[in-house]
């Protein structure tokens, strides 16, 4: 059984203000939860419809009915388990290597996918503007498929950070230089802009190198790429020399 108070608490965590208030977030699905259990994230409580997760102590685990899981799930079709974790203290920004900076990314799926891409390409640091969607949004957590536990995420005033970093700052623009014709360094900050408006004017002024993914289609009428897709191409090109 899940008490009414537990249901109220868990469902409230779908909203950022309650996640901040309680310093808690939740994840759903065996793979994501297993990844988080094997990381530094601290488990608050696990709710499961099956007798699994033997590594979790009984006082932090509840066996519940599918109907109860549906009441606390954020998914259209509830999975078999949901776990509540404590939000860790934010770490200092790693200002070295290749850093991805996000300027007002609003779609949870995009942020989750970009986190997975950072994990895949070995990018240790993701810096988000304060307007970017919350990384502990359930849809973001779900989309990361566990990569949230292996990438350092920081929310900062992006103007301040870019003004102070010693790394070269790259920005993605439609009129930038062809990324395939550039000799790209192994260290730098790559700024990815908002889904609808791209990089904001105040951040654009801090970009030192404008880069672009060229269009190869005959008609060239596609206005832009999805920001997560663009991030994948750009990270691949930055890391290509290391392959």
């Amino acid at each position: 059984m899940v008490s009414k108070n537990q249901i109220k608490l868990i469902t409230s965590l779908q909203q950022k203000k309650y996640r901040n208030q309680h310093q808690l977030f939740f994840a759903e699905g065996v793979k994501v939860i297993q990844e988080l259990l094997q990381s530094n994230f601290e488990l608050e409580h696990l709710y499961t419809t099956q007798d699994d997760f033997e590594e979790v102590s009984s006082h932090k685990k509840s066996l519940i009915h599918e109907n109860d899981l549906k009441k606390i799930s954020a998914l259209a079709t509830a999975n078999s388990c949901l776990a509540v974790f404590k939000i860790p203290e934010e770490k200092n920004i790693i200002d070295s290597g290749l850093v991805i900076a996000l300027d007002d990314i609003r779609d949870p799926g995009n942020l989750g996918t970009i986190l997975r891409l950072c994990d895949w390409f070995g990018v240790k640091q993701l810096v988000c503007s304060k307007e970017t969607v919350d990384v502990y949004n359930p849809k973001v957590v779900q989309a990361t498929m566990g990569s949230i536990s292996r990438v350092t995420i920081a929310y900062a005033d992006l103007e301040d950070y870019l003004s102070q970093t010693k790394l070269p700052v790259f920005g993605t623009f439609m009129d930038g230089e062809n990324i395939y014709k550039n000799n790209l360094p192994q260290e730098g900050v790559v700024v990815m802009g908002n889904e609808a408006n791209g990089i904001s004017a105040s951040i654009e002024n801090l970009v030192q190198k404008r880069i672009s993914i060229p269009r190869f289609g005959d008609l060239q009428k596609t206005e832009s790429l999805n920001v997560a897709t663009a991030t994948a191409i750009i990270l691949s090109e930055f890391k290509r020399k290391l392959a």
Side-chain angles (χ1 to χ4, degrees), residues 56-235:
V56 178
S57 60
S58 58
H59 75 280
K60 284 204 169 187
K61 180 170 63 172
S62 295
L63 190 62
I64 63 171
H65 193 274
E66 288 182 10
N67 288 335
D68 286 329
L69 186 62
K70 289 178 182 178
K71 293 176 183 177
I72 58 177
S73 176
L75 301 174
T77 303
N79 215 303
S80 63
C81 49
L82 180 150
V84 179
F85 291 90
K86 293 183 179 179
I87 294 177
E89 290 187 13
E90 195 169 282
K91 297 178 181 177
N92 292 330
I93 293 174
I94 305 169
D95 200 30
S96 63
L98 192 60
V99 177
I100 293 294
L102 303 182
D103 182 14
D104 193 17
I105 298 301
R106 296 299 180 95
D107 184 83
N110 282 337
L111 177 54
T113 302
I114 290 170
L115 260 167
R116 288 185 71 187
L117 289 166
C118 287
D119 188 17
W120 181 269
F121 286 103
V123 173
K124 302 295 184 184
Q125 180 68 65
L126 181 67
V127 180
C128 302
S129 68
K130 293 182 179 180
E131 296 77 25
T132 293
V133 61
D134 181 27
V135 71
Y136 296 110
N137 177 308
K139 292 180 180 178
V140 177
V141 175
Q142 199 71 22
T144 71
M145 294 301 290
S147 291
I148 190 174
S149 65
R150 292 183 291 271
V151 179
T152 300
I153 304 122
Y155 283 79
D157 183 310
L158 214 50
E159 285 186 60
D160 286 349
Y161 168 65
L162 295 177
S163 298
Q164 296 174 25
T165 182
K166 296 178 181 179
L167 297 171
V169 179
F170 294 81
T172 50
F173 299 91
M174 291 297 293
D175 63 351
E177 294 182 23
N178 187 333
I179 191 171
Y180 301 123
K181 295 181 179 179
N182 267 266
N183 186 19
L184 301 171
Q186 293 308 303
E187 287 199 320
V189 180
V190 181
V191 183
M192 306 300 298
N194 173 268
E195 291 91 342
N197 303 311
I199 294 174
S200 58
S202 58
I203 299 300
E204 182 178 354
N205 292 332
L206 298 168
V207 170
Q208 299 160 4
K209 182 83 170 178
R210 300 167 70 95
I211 55 176
S212 176
I213 300 167
R215 291 179 292 188
F216 291 96
D218 292 335
L219 296 178
Q220 297 199 1
K221 288 189 175 182
T222 304
E223 291 184 358
S224 64
L225 286 173
N226 168 274
V227 65
T229 302
T231 302
I233 295 168
I234 286 165
L235 282 178

